[in-house]
């Protein structure tokens, strides 16, 4: 046999209420099994823990010693259980957020303030980058989250807002394009781009 938590809980409750009958009722355990647990505990330790009298139960000196340790152990177990369950309610730890350089001046401070208010146990770090760098950082787990262009982000991404971007090039570069152009089309112009002129086309 080992000195398990169940027997310590039973012993502590009997010591607290001073009665097998009342402890049985509060624990929801029949009195005969409860008495058997206590006899088994005393046999294991080789000492008498409880003096049974007509008025209830009185702790022996050995019982007082065990009770002080049992209460400390049970409190530590309860605290461990509470803190473990609290993990789901209060997220904590380090989180790395990547953000487009064009959005960082607008969003960084509000995001940090909201995070500090809603998740005080989270240590948030924000890094700037371009769309391709942020996508690579997510793929390699360098960042936990990223605010990126929808055309570059993964399929699991969530749209946050629309931002108008412009592709700039020499006059005539966009003659074959009507209306908006995709991000892929805009990026494809990058390799053979000439110095920009004042003409632009919305992307």
């Amino acid at each position: 046999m080992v000195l398990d938590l169940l027997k310590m809980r039973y012993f502590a409750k009997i010591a607290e209420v001073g009665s097998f009958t009342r402890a049985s009722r509060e624990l929801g355990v029949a009195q005969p099994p409860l008495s058997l647990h206590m006899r088994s505990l005393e046999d294991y330790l080789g000492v008498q823990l409880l003096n049974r009298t007509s008025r209830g139960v009185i702790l022996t000196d050995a019982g007082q010693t065990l009770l002080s340790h049992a209460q400390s152990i049970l409190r530590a177990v309860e605290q461990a259980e509470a803190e473990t369950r609290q993990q789901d309610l209060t997220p904590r730890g380090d989180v790395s957020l990547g953000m487009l350089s064009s959005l960082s001046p607008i969003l960084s401070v509000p995001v940090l303030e909201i995070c500090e208010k809603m998740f005080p146990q989270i240590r948030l770090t924000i890094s700037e980058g371009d769309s391709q760098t942020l996508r690579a950082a997510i793929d390699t787990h360098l960042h936990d989250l990223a605010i990126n262009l929808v055309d570059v982000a993964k399929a699991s991404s969530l749209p946050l807002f629309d931002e108008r971007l412009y592709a700039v090039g020499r006059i005539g570069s966009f003659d074959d394009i009507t209306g908006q152009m995709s991000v892929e089309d805009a990026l494809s112009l990058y390799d053979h781009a000439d110095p920009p002129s004042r003409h632009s086309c919305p992307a």
Side-chain angles (χ1 to χ4, degrees):
M1 191 192 107
V2 295
L3 189 58
D4 58 51
L5 289 175
L6 181 63
K7 287 181 172 57
M8 281 196 286
R9 285 195 176 101
Y10 288 172
F11 169 72
K13 177 57 69 174
I14 293 169
E16 175 190 339
V17 300
S19 164
F20 272 87
T21 302
R22 184 175 170 189
S24 173
R25 184 169 56 251
E26 294 191 13
L27 291 169
V29 178
Q31 189 168 338
L34 193 60
S35 298
L36 184 61
H37 275 294
M38 290 305 98
R39 283 198 299 272
S40 175
L41 182 58
E42 289 177 327
D43 290 343
Y44 173 71
L45 295 173
V47 294
Q48 185 176 352
L49 301 172
L50 304 167
N51 283 323
R52 296 149 178 88
T53 70
S54 58
R55 299 177 123 188
V57 174
I58 300 174
L59 290 176
T60 64
D61 290 342
Q64 291 284 1
T65 299
L66 178 60
L67 179 62
S68 63
H69 289 291
Q71 288 174 332
S72 298
I73 292 170
L74 293 173
R75 279 196 299 269
V77 171
E78 290 174 358
Q79 183 177 359
E81 291 175 348
E83 290 183 2
T84 301
R85 292 191 177 97
Q86 191 68 18
Q87 292 289 328
D88 289 336
L89 303 177
T90 307
R92 64 186 66 199
D94 297 313
V95 174
S96 175
L97 170 64
M99 190 177 298
L100 284 171
S101 300
S102 61
L103 298 178
S104 183
I106 303 171
L107 296 181
S108 290
V109 173
V111 168
L112 287 169
E113 290 176 346
I114 292 171
C115 181
E116 183 178 3
K117 181 178 180 180
M118 297 183 63
F119 307 107
Q121 302 299 320
I122 292 291
R123 292 180 294 274
L124 178 63
T125 302
I126 297 179
S127 301
E128 298 180 10
D130 58 43
S131 58
Q132 297 298 331
T133 300
L134 294 179
R135 171 60 189 264
I138 288 293
D139 290 341
T140 58
H141 306 289
L142 181 62
H143 291 326
D144 301 299
L145 304 165
I147 299 178
N148 208 349
L149 300 177
V150 67
D151 289 15
V152 183
K154 290 186 174 182
S156 59
S157 61
L158 297 174
L160 297 178
F161 52 84
D162 294 327
E163 181 188 26
R164 181 176 290 274
L165 302 176
Y166 292 88
V168 180
R170 61 181 299 175
I171 296 176
S173 299
F174 308 104
D175 288 347
D176 296 332
I177 299 174
T178 58
Q180 296 185 347
M181 64 187 301
S182 68
V183 173
E184 286 85 354
D185 291 338
L187 292 176
S188 69
L189 300 173
Y190 180 77
D191 292 335
H192 9 3
D194 291 327
S197 70
R198 297 178 180 274
H199 182 73
S200 63
C201 175

